[in-house]
Amino acid sequence: MSKIIKTEEEYEAALEKAYSLIQKDLILGSKQADELELLTLLIEHYEESNYAILPPSPLEAIKFRLEQLDKTPTELSKIFGARSRQSEILNGKRKLSLNMIRKLHEVLNIPAESLIGAY
């Protein structure tokens, strides 16, 4: 297969072909190894176009990071200085300010890009 994947059926066929090639002991630079490399690029292109993963909302990013660090939402009160802000932010009633974004980035190491999105 050496054409752009346009349908789900072509995608499934490409996955099957790639899987069968992966099972072989391919020699780098061989025709089959080159075919696998091209197939992988075509599969990646199709997946990026059809199965894009959207970035999390700022609220999801904060909750996820707290969970990763095994911290409770009340930890945000220490960062923001007020318990009411923590509750308002997590409930979507208050938007993050630039200062809050900076603090979340510095203290919890959440990428700023994840915090500036719309929600």
Side-chain angles (χ1 to χ4, degrees), residues 15-66:
L15 288 175
E16 287 179 28
K17 179 67 177 174
Y19 180 76
S20 71
L21 288 170
I22 290 171
Q23 301 307 309
K24 298 179 180 181
D25 191 19
L26 300 178
I27 298 169
L28 197 59
S30 70
K31 185 177 177 179
Q32 286 186 323
D34 290 346
E35 181 182 9
L36 177 59
E37 184 178 5
L38 176 60
L39 203 50
T40 302
L41 293 171
L42 293 169
I43 290 168
E44 286 177 359
H45 178 268
Y46 183 83
E47 289 175 344
E48 287 171 1
S49 300
N50 294 282
Y51 302 111
I53 298 174
L54 300 175
S57 75
L59 299 180
E60 290 170 340
I62 293 168
K63 290 175 185 176
F64 179 74
R65 187 63 178 146
L66 287 172

Side-chain angles (χ1 to χ4, degrees), residues 1-7 9-11 13-14 35 38-39 41-43 45-46:
M1 174 176 285
S2 60
K3 63 178 186 139
I4 296 194
I5 301 169
K6 296 179 182 173
T7 67
E9 292 79 25
E10 291 174 348
Y11 172 68
E35 181 182 9
L38 176 60
L39 203 50
L41 293 171
L42 293 169
I43 290 168
H45 178 268
Y46 183 83

